């Protein structure tokens, strides 16, 4: 078994069908990889989709039924626990394998880079923008990894099961968002490289599990960003960071409100700015425990 593909479902059954359809065309033998899906919803839609399309006749599919929505990281960890391959592929439901030789080519690449920490490839959206790698962590912090890849987008990450287990998987404190940033940072701290295979690419739709960008969405996202900083700054650094961020956001709020009179774009920025200020105020008033 070469790969264990780990997928988390949260009302994304149609995307998973499209992903599995794209996997049908892979040149890699279907016996060389398994598919493990953590079902973060409490209904039978996923199972019905798999059965109606006879995917079990082709793929080795395992299901992990989650009894509550426990978030992306925890659900991925649950899938990893029952995986049997040496190499894990953490992959979002809204990814499509557009290259029929992708898995075979990536496996050959991995064999040439066996001491890797994490590997990814080009991850292209509708505008052909590559969202694979980032050269700083949250809030432009690079922790000394200047001009180096700091993290890979969590929609597609290869990692050995051995290293994933050593790191204890994704940090359970992250419900959703920034768990990929945190994992890659901890990989780098272990001394392992993040390697991009720029010869390969996949298609990523993006935003499939949370199509509505409302207050609750931004609250989850920004809370995770600040949680990341709290975990990896010392107490003095975090205190200075949070106060500086509050001052900056208060200034931006005034400007966005004024500009929002003339442009709807800035009205949305007012919302995002207010969400961040609400989280910061709660953090300052009641301690950083509210982030966890």
């Amino acid at each position: 078994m070469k790969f264990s593909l780990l997928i988390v479902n949260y009302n994304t059954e149609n995307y998973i069908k499209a992903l599995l359809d794209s996997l049908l065309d892979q040149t890699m033998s279907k016996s060389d990889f398994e598919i493990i899906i953590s079902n973060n919803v409490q209904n039978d839609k996923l199972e019905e989709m798999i059965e109606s399309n006879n995917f079990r006749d082709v793929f080795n599919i395992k299901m992990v039924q989650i009894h509550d929505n426990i978030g992306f990281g925890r659900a991925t960890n649950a899938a990893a626990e029952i995986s049997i391959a040496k190499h894990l592929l953490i992959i979002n439901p809204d990814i499509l394998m557009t290259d029929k030789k992708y898995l075979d080519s990536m496996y050959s690449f991995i064999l040439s880079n066996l001491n890797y920490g994490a590997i990814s490839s080009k991850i292209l959206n509708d505008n052909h923008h590559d969202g694979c790698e980032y050269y700083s962590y949250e809030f432009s912090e690079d922790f000394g990894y200047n001009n180096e890849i700091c993290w890979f987008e969590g929609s597609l990450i290869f990692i050995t099961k051995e290293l994933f287990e050593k790191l204890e998987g994704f940090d359970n404190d992250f419900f959703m968002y920034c768990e990929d940033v945190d994992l890659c940072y901890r990989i780098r701290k272990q001394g392992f490289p993040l390697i991009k295979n720029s010869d390969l690419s996949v298609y990523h739709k993006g935003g499939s599990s949370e199509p509505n960008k409302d207050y609750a969405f931004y609250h989850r996202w920004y809370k995770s960003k600040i949680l990341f900083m709290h975990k990896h700054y010392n107490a003095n650094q975090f205190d200075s960071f949070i106060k500086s961020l509050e001052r900056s956001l208060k200034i931006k709020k005034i400007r966005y409100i004024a500009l929002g009179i003339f442009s709807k774009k800035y009205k949305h920025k007012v919302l995002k700015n207010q969400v961040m200020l609400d989280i910061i105020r709660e953090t300052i008033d009641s301690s950083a425990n509210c982030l966890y």
Side-chain angles (χ1 to χ4, degrees), residues 73-200:
R74 289 186 181 187
T76 301
N77 292 345
E81 286 180 4
I82 64 171
S83 63
I84 62 173
K86 181 177 180 180
H87 304 280
L88 307 178
L89 168 53
I90 300 164
I91 183 168
N92 272 20
D94 52 2
I95 291 284
L96 291 179
M97 295 282 184
T98 51
D99 181 345
K100 293 181 180 181
K101 296 182 179 180
Y102 185 91
L103 289 178
D104 272 327
S105 298
M106 186 59 84
Y107 189 68
S108 296
F109 184 81
I110 285 173
L111 293 181
S112 299
N113 296 276
L114 285 176
N115 195 40
Y116 76 97
I119 286 177
S120 191
S121 68
K122 292 179 181 177
I123 303 174
L124 306 178
N125 63 12
D126 289 324
N127 298 320
H128 298 284
H129 170 74
D130 180 9
C132 169
E133 81 270 38
Y134 295 83
Y135 287 82
S136 66
Y137 298 101
E138 302 303 336
F139 303 98
S140 300
E141 176 62 73
D142 65 21
F143 290 107
Y145 298 113
N146 187 35
N147 294 322
E148 299 179 49
I149 297 175
C150 289
W151 60 281
F152 286 137
E153 182 182 277
S155 58
L156 186 130
I157 294 177
F158 291 86
I159 183 173
T160 65
K161 180 169 183 177
E162 179 181 8
L163 179 55
F164 196 72
E165 289 180 339
K166 181 179 180 181
L167 295 169
E168 298 183 349
F170 285 117
D171 187 329
N172 287 335
D173 287 330
F174 293 92
F175 177 78
M176 191 169 180
Y177 307 117
C178 299
E179 62 281 300
D180 46 2
V181 187
D182 176 80
L183 179 70
C184 288
Y185 177 64
R186 291 186 288 123
I187 289 172
R188 297 228 53 169
K189 286 188 70 176
Q190 290 287 327
F192 291 98
L194 306 182
I195 304 172
K196 180 180 180 181
N197 184 346
S198 296
D199 293 331
L200 296 177

Side-chain angles (χ1 to χ4, degrees), residues 9 16 22 104 114 129 217 262 269 285:
N9 175 52
I16 292 176
S22 73
D104 272 327
L114 285 176
H129 170 74
F217 163 78
F262 307 102
K269 287 188 176 183
D285 290 346

Side-chain angles (χ1 to χ4, degrees), residues 2 4 15 30 41-42 53 62 92 95 113 149 160 166 171 204-205 279:
K2 296 177 179 177
S4 293
Y15 288 100
K30 306 305 180 288
V41 290
Q42 291 69 58
N53 288 277
K62 300 176 183 176
N92 272 20
I95 291 284
N113 296 276
I149 297 175
T160 65
K166 181 179 180 181
D171 187 329
H204 183 214
K205 179 64 177 177
I279 297 169

